[in-house]
Amino acid sequence: MRSAVLVVVGLLASPVALMAQAAAATKIDSVATQTAANSTSINFVWTLVAGFLVMFMQAGFALVETGFTRAKNAGHTMTMNFMVYAIGMLAYWAVGFALQAGGIGALATLGGYDKLNTEFSIHIGGHAWGLFGMQGFFLTGVAYNASIFAYFLFQMVFMDTAATIPTGAAAERWKFSAFCIFTAFIGTIIYPNYGNWVSGNGWLAALGRNVGLGHGHVDFAGSSVVHMTGGVMALLAGKLIGPRRGKYNSNGSANAIPGHNIPMALLGTFILAFGW
């Protein structure tokens, strides 16, 4: 009799146990899904905040460069630092971003969106070597997506950082029209192409998987794509334009040309440190 009772109780309890297990599994799946969604949301917010910080560095560059120039050129220098953002952004939006990130593939940390997947490549030795992306012009088509917009902002402000560096090297001695053309060229061709090779599924990034050179070219904190690119352009601009008038005497000795507002330059330095 006792055995029969136990059997009946067991039969009645089994469905309840199965239902409890199913509910627990469903809850675990729900928690996992919500955790993944939260992780993506946090990544979105951090990407935007980091982009805003780098964008604020533009103010730092403007103050540093203007403070170290003479008062008569303050307006010109400040205007360059303002317009480099506008011109560079439009050029990068229209063409540059597509060339850099048009073949980048899935954005794993921003929801996994993977429609920017067309890279122009050449094939050598049985391997593909990417040269530039082919999707995302004007942020239309497959690029019309929230993940892409966040990624665009983040990449665009770094492009403008690289474009701003030469404005300090050539301050007080180049025409505004030449500066505008130079900035547009940076935003459409120079920065995007190198950015693609390094971080946009291009040939430098492929050195690891194609020929076994570690992880390929690894760009730490923008040290090459942003700072080396900007530094090389600044060096070439300074070399081509030459020194400021009155900087050197006929015998080769140098004259000091002090900046007109050192507190402004120091404030800009603190802003750059904060944004960095």
Side-chain angles (χ1 to χ4, degrees), residues 1 6 11 20 51 66 68 99 106 138 191 212 214 262 269:
M1 182 67 181
L6 291 175
L11 291 174
T66 303
F68 280 129
L99 295 181
F138 297 95
Y191 182 91
I262 300 304
T269 302

Side-chain angles (χ1 to χ4, degrees), residues 34-269:
Q34 188 60 49
T35 300
N38 290 342
S39 177
T40 299
S41 299
I42 292 170
N43 288 337
F44 260 92
V45 172
W46 174 241
T47 299
L48 293 174
V49 169
F52 299 152
L53 288 173
V54 177
M55 178 181 175
F56 188 50
M57 289 175 65
Q58 199 72 35
F61 279 115
L63 293 175
V64 167
E65 295 175 16
T66 303
F68 280 129
T69 58
R70 289 167 288 187
K72 66 177 183 177
N73 293 314
H76 182 269
T77 305
M78 186 64 77
T79 303
M80 283 197 305
N81 277 274
F82 179 77
M83 290 304 297
V84 71
Y85 186 85
I87 297 172
M89 176 181 62
L90 289 174
Y92 192 68
W93 164 75
V95 177
F97 179 75
L99 295 181
Q100 179 176 347
I104 196 171
L107 298 175
T109 59
L110 295 175
Y113 188 76
D114 61 354
K115 301 304 181 182
L116 289 182
N117 54 16
T118 305
E119 177 83 2
F120 180 85
S121 305
I122 58 175
H123 291 79
I124 301 175
H127 300 292
W129 304 91
L131 296 181
F132 54 85
M134 299 178 65
Q135 286 184 311
F137 295 97
F138 297 95
L139 291 183
T140 57
V142 296
Y144 194 78
N145 176 270
S147 297
I148 301 301
F149 294 161
Y151 187 69
F152 166 81
L153 171 71
F154 186 73
Q155 292 294 334
M156 181 271 294
V157 292
F158 279 109
M159 178 280 302
D160 262 315
T161 298
T164 301
I165 294 173
T167 64
E172 298 192 292
R173 57 197 190 280
W174 65 349
K175 292 183 178 179
F176 188 75
S177 58
F179 150 77
C180 292
I181 296 171
F182 182 76
T183 301
F185 191 64
I186 293 172
T188 55
I189 303 296
I190 298 177
Y191 182 91
N193 274 288
Y194 186 51
N196 174 270
W197 299 345
V198 174
S199 58
N201 207 24
W203 67 273
L204 286 175
L207 289 173
R209 67 174 182 268
N210 285 352
V211 295
L213 292 179
H215 295 286
H217 180 97
V218 178
D219 181 56
F220 179 74
S223 53
S224 63
V225 175
V226 180
H227 301 288
M228 187 186 75
T229 300
V232 170
M233 290 188 296
L235 176 64
L236 293 175
K239 180 65 176 177
L240 291 172
I241 296 174
R244 288 176 283 184
R245 292 177 181 176
K247 177 63 179 178
Y248 295 100
N249 299 313
S250 58
N251 61 1
S253 59
N255 297 314
I257 304 179
H260 81 285
N261 195 323
I262 300 304
M264 177 187 291
L266 291 178
L267 176 60
T269 302

